[in-house]
Amino acid sequence: MEITIHPVTPERRKPKPVDESALGFGKIFTDHMFVMHHDAERGWHDPSIVPYGPFSLDPGTMCFHYGQEIFEGMKAYRGENDNLFMFRPEKNIARMNQSAERLCMPPVDPDFFMEALKTLIRVEKDWIPHGRGTSLYIRPTMIATEVALGVHPSNAYLFFIILSPVGAYYPEGFNPTRIYVSDSFVRACPGGVGNCKAAGNYAASLYASTEASNQGYTQVLWLDALTRTCPEEVGTSNIFFVLDGTLVTPPLGGTILPGVMRDSIMRLARSWDMNVEERRLSMDDLIESLNTGRLTEVFASGTAAVVSPVGLIRYRDRDHEINGGSVGPVTRRLYDEILKIQYGEGDDPFEWRARIDP
Ligand SMILES: Cc1ncc(COP(=O)(O)O)c(C=O)c1O
């Protein structure tokens, strides 16, 4: 399939943000977007890059009613000499197709998906900010577009990719978060869609995260749905513990989103000869290990922040401080090493960089 490009007219080009420190996250969108349609007869067709703008959708369009919508989140980085990279985009492409399968949506050919990403980023390359830590956030999305009521898989879909320049996550250095353990609400249950990037998962998380925020906490620490004793994820990130010098993270098993950063962190730590284990830990074990000094670091991992240190955990009406509320050495080392790979500094031992040729 050939991607048709319809560039915006010069007078419709938006001004690029001048102050990169004010970019924030997801507030500004670039001049163009990628769009492509699917129906049963033609499969995916008419891929094109068009001026960024609103869609006109019938109020009966199925995505408004039954939540058949999935998305991805990834970034493009500008390194030295204006070299442009993505970080392991093939993992996001594969995960989008896994989400699609689970939600009865059509997969996108991985090679074509990659071509669409690279073509769009090339068109929008001047929107990739320059400062270290800044990036161009990439949001591929798929929605059901059949106009009908009644719950069934849609017979038509729209796939689009939009781009947003985003600021450095830690302009003033790490800020350890305060997290709140929810044992009243759960994010995912076995047999559900917790391992997919389904839009409905995020809607379902809002009540607990609002409650946590109202009580002065940054994120929710989600426990497993069946026993409500074992941490699974934190906010919209995976979670890691440094326990007796071993890096521990909960095993996937269907209720946890298989994070690209989660996998990268485990591989990097193993390459340092650090012991890495995927195993369940209960909150009681964690609190006891904290009190006896065996649990030294807790951090969240994800595309947005790479790693986000946890300074305090609220569990059953008590606040538990971690590592004196400051950032531990493993957290810091992982952050530094992954940033170097993302920005094209030094070696790429795992071949994680996907270069975007000008
Ligand atoms: C629920 C959830 N868990 C974990 C992650 C981290 O995944 P990744 O490392 O691929 O960004 C995300 C972010 O995409 C998420 O939404």
Side-chain angles (χ1 to χ4, degrees):
M1 273 192 299
E2 185 120 345
I3 302 172
T4 322
I5 301 178
H6 303 279
V8 286
T9 51
E11 62 281 7
R12 278 194 58 199
R13 280 187 193 278
K14 302 175 205 166
K16 306 234 172 15
V18 185
D19 179 6
E20 290 191 353
S21 67
L23 282 173
F25 182 84
K27 295 185 295 191
I28 301 163
F29 295 95
T30 68
D31 286 320
H32 299 87
M33 60 185 179
F34 174 89
V35 291
M36 168 166 86
H37 301 269
H38 186 280
D39 60 39
E41 297 78 51
R42 287 174 290 178
W44 287 115
H45 59 274
D46 292 344
S48 54
I49 289 172
V50 297
Y52 182 96
F55 298 120
S56 172
L57 291 170
D58 188 292
T61 304
M62 286 183 66
C63 63
F64 294 140
H65 304 277
Y66 309 117
Q68 215 188 353
E69 178 192 344
I70 56 170
F71 65 94
E72 266 305 323
M74 55 212 287
K75 286 176 170 178
Y77 307 85
R78 186 186 294 279
E80 278 169 19
N81 305 320
D82 277 340
N83 287 322
L84 307 180
F85 305 101
M86 284 183 282
F87 182 74
R88 310 188 74 187
E90 66 287 351
K91 300 279 287 177
N92 296 87
I93 291 173
R95 190 169 67 189
M96 182 105 179
N97 280 336
Q98 283 148 18
S99 300
E101 184 179 8
R102 177 66 178 83
L103 275 93
C104 296
M105 302 171 91
V108 176
D109 175 77
D111 293 336
F112 183 74
F113 197 145
M114 188 74 86
E115 188 190 329
L117 286 170
K118 288 189 172 173
T119 310
L120 179 63
I121 293 167
R122 242 179 251 125
V123 168
E124 299 291 60
K125 63 178 185 304
D126 293 344
W127 282 91
I128 306 183
H130 294 75
R132 196 171 191 272
T134 64
S135 56
L136 187 68
Y137 186 79
I138 307 166
R139 169 55 57 86
T141 309
M142 194 190 296
I143 61 172
T145 51
E146 181 184 348
V147 177
L149 296 184
V151 178
H152 62 271
S154 171
N155 66 16
Y157 296 90
L158 170 66
F159 174 78
F160 60 88
I161 307 173
I162 53 176
L163 306 174
S164 171
V166 299
Y169 207 87
Y170 296 113
E172 285 112 31
F174 281 126
N175 222 342
T177 54
R178 296 157 51 84
I179 62 174
Y180 175 92
V181 182
S182 173
D183 50 14
S184 331
F185 301 103
V186 294
R187 195 193 80 88
C189 60
V193 292
N195 57 348
C196 302
K197 259 181 112 65
N201 285 341
Y202 298 84
S205 73
L206 296 175
Y207 193 92
S209 58
T210 304
E211 193 180 72
S213 156
N214 288 343
Q215 295 189 39
Y217 296 86
T218 337
Q219 297 280 10
V220 174
L221 180 67
W222 302 103
L223 301 180
D224 73 289
L226 294 185
T227 70
R228 310 261 172 118
T229 54
C230 296
E232 293 203 324
E233 297 208 59
V234 56
T236 56
S237 310
N238 296 114
I239 185 145
F240 282 89
F241 308 96
V242 180
L243 179 66
D244 294 328
T246 293
L247 190 61
V248 183
T249 192
L252 292 176
T255 53
I256 292 179
L257 192 83
V260 177
M261 202 52 71
R262 176 185 181 276
D263 180 76
S264 310
I265 282 170
M266 288 195 293
R267 283 183 61 187
L268 188 58
R270 283 190 176 119
S271 78
W272 301 335
D273 285 335
M274 194 172 175
N275 195 23
V276 178
E277 292 176 3
E278 290 177 81
R279 69 177 165 95
R280 278 160 71 100
L281 285 171
S282 71
M283 277 311 299
D284 287 344
D285 287 344
L286 286 174
I287 301 298
E288 201 206 303
S289 318
L290 197 56
N291 292 337
T292 53
R294 295 170 52 216
L295 177 66
T296 49
E297 295 179 49
V298 179
F299 62 88
S301 79
T303 297
V306 179
V307 290
S308 169
V310 174
L312 182 141
I313 297 182
R314 173 84 169 176
Y315 183 53
R316 295 202 174 136
D317 300 329
R318 276 197 58 193
D319 284 343
H320 302 269
E321 205 180 51
I322 296 147
N323 196 32
S326 55
V327 186
V330 177
T331 312
R332 189 171 291 281
R333 184 175 176 199
L334 285 163
Y335 179 74
D336 289 342
E337 289 300 314
I338 291 195
L339 235 69
K340 275 192 212 153
I341 297 179
Q342 289 174 330
Y343 286 86
E345 298 158 12
D347 293 343
D348 180 19
F350 310 98
E351 300 185 352
W352 284 343
R353 287 179 203 141
R355 207 191 159 92
I356 302 158
D357 295 323

